[in-house]
């Protein structure tokens, strides 16, 4: 996947690094990431990570902890720029992209997403209303914002506030996971691109493992290529179309 993306790739991991907070998942992810870094030569600072609902470890009935996630993230990046024990929202600068990382699992309930507006507004004030010097703004979170079925209730519950804030502050792209399916659509006057992706190693019938490569042109136009990840195909990565 990184070879297809090219030498200047940035790898975005949109949460659920492990399953139900298990340490075994982080250990396996560490081994996989280190192999990737060594083989491809990807700088650890080009890895962008936010937590998902499976990265929550409950210390008590209402005390979510992201300590295990933070330890894993800090070990992969060799810094604390993608850690979330001390904050629910972060800006991470990577080359010409300003990433906004949202912990949509910060509230500790594994059944739905929520964004901390108080902290988000602080970060957005520091960033300013619009991008400068031709930079691109990309938001990353785990939970999706738009439900895709009538009986689905795990979307981000304050999604409208998230979308309106991002559109107001000149974000071109919002990347998320959680749905276990591919999704691509544009919203608002600025046509901000929302792009969802499936899991990468989820061995459950009915779900297609997938990944995506996003490319930004000089005019901040986004093109996306989606891939299904299949061990049963002659081609391990199969180019596919999103659901929407």
């Amino acid at each position: 996947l990184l070879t297809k993306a090219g030498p200047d790739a940035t790898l975005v991991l949109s949460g659920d690094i492990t399953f139900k907070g298990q340490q075994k998942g982080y250990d396996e992810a560490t081994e996989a990431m280190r192999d990737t870094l060594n083989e491809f030569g990807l700088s650890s600072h080009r890895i962008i990570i936010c937590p998902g609902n499976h990265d929550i470890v409950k210390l008590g009935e209402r005390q979510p902890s992201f300590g295990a996630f933070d330890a894993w993230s800090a070990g992969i990046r060799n810094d604390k720029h993608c850690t979330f024990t001390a904050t629910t929202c972060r800006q991470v600068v990577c080359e010409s992209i300003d990433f906004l990382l949202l912990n949509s699992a910060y509230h500790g309930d594994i059944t739905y997403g929520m964004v901390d507006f108080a902290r988000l507004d602080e970060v957005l004030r520091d960033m300013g209303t619009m991008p400068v010097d031709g930079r691109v703004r990309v938001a990353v979170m785990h939970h999706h914002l738009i439900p895709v079925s009538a009986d689905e209730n795990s979307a981000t519950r304050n999604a409208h506030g998230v979308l309106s804030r991002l559109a107001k502050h000149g974000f071109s792209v919002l990347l998320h996971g959680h749905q276990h399916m591919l999704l691509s659509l544009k919203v608002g006057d600025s046509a901000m691109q929302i792009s969802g992706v499936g899991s990468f190693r989820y061995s459950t019938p009915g779900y297609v493992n997938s990944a995506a490569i996003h490319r930004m042109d000089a005019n901040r136009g986004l093109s996306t290529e989606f891939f299904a990840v299949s061990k049963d195909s002659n081609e391990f990565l199969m180019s596919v179309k999103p659901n929407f």
Side-chain angles (χ1 to χ4, degrees):
L1 185 68
L2 288 171
T3 299
K4 288 179 179 290
D8 296 326
T10 297
L11 179 62
V12 176
L13 306 175
S14 56
D16 281 1
I17 307 303
T18 186
F19 182 71
K20 294 185 177 180
Q22 297 176 74
Q23 184 58 46
K24 178 183 178 183
Y26 289 116
D27 294 341
E28 291 179 354
T30 296
E31 181 179 354
M33 292 303 300
R34 285 179 176 167
D35 287 347
T36 299
L37 294 175
N38 292 335
E39 181 175 344
F40 191 76
L42 185 69
S43 168
S44 59
H45 299 293
R46 284 185 171 272
I47 302 175
I48 302 297
I49 316 166
C50 72
N53 52 300
H54 278 285
D55 296 309
I56 301 171
V57 176
K58 287 291 187 71
L59 299 179
E61 176 129 359
R62 299 189 176 180
Q63 292 182 298
S65 171
F66 294 91
F69 170 88
D70 286 355
W72 180 81
S73 173
I76 293 297
R77 282 186 50 97
N78 298 316
D79 62 31
K80 296 184 179 181
H81 292 178
C82 294
T83 58
F84 290 88
T85 294
T87 188
T88 62
C89 177
R90 286 187 177 277
Q91 179 189 3
V92 178
V93 177
C94 182
E95 301 299 330
S96 61
I97 301 176
D98 293 327
F99 284 99
L100 176 69
L101 309 184
L102 307 174
N103 181 3
S104 57
Y106 83 98
H107 54 295
D109 192 316
I110 64 171
T111 61
Y112 64 89
M114 181 73 73
V115 171
D116 178 7
F117 283 163
R119 175 57 182 158
L120 173 58
D121 288 341
E122 288 181 359
V123 176
L124 291 176
R125 278 196 296 270
D126 290 341
M127 294 180 69
T129 304
M130 296 300 291
V132 296
D133 300 328
R135 302 185 64 79
V136 175
R137 290 185 171 179
V138 176
V140 182
M141 59 190 291
H142 177 66
H143 290 85
H144 55 296
L145 292 100
I146 300 173
V148 295
S149 64
D151 59 349
E152 191 241 291
N153 61 7
S154 66
T156 301
R157 293 199 174 175
N158 53 357
H160 180 269
V162 177
L163 290 171
S164 61
R165 283 166 168 82
L166 297 182
K168 180 180 177 181
H169 285 80
F171 280 80
S172 300
V173 186
L174 169 64
L175 306 177
H176 68 77
H178 191 63
Q179 279 177 314
H180 301 285
M181 64 185 298
L182 305 178
L183 181 143
S184 179
L185 51 84
K186 295 181 179 181
V187 299
D189 294 337
S190 62
M192 180 173 61
Q193 179 82 37
I194 301 177
S195 184
V197 71
S199 298
F200 201 67
R201 187 184 175 187
Y202 193 63
S203 300
T204 299
Y207 290 102
V208 177
N209 290 295
S210 62
I213 295 176
H214 307 280
R215 293 183 172 88
M216 191 75 66
D217 61 29
N219 297 318
R220 293 195 297 171
L222 183 74
S223 62
T224 303
E225 188 175 9
F226 292 97
F227 296 92
V229 182
S230 174
K231 294 184 293 185
D232 302 321
S233 171
N234 293 330
E235 185 178 6
F236 187 66
L237 292 173
M238 300 182 295
S239 182
V240 294
K241 298 292 184 181
N243 299 77
F244 297 96

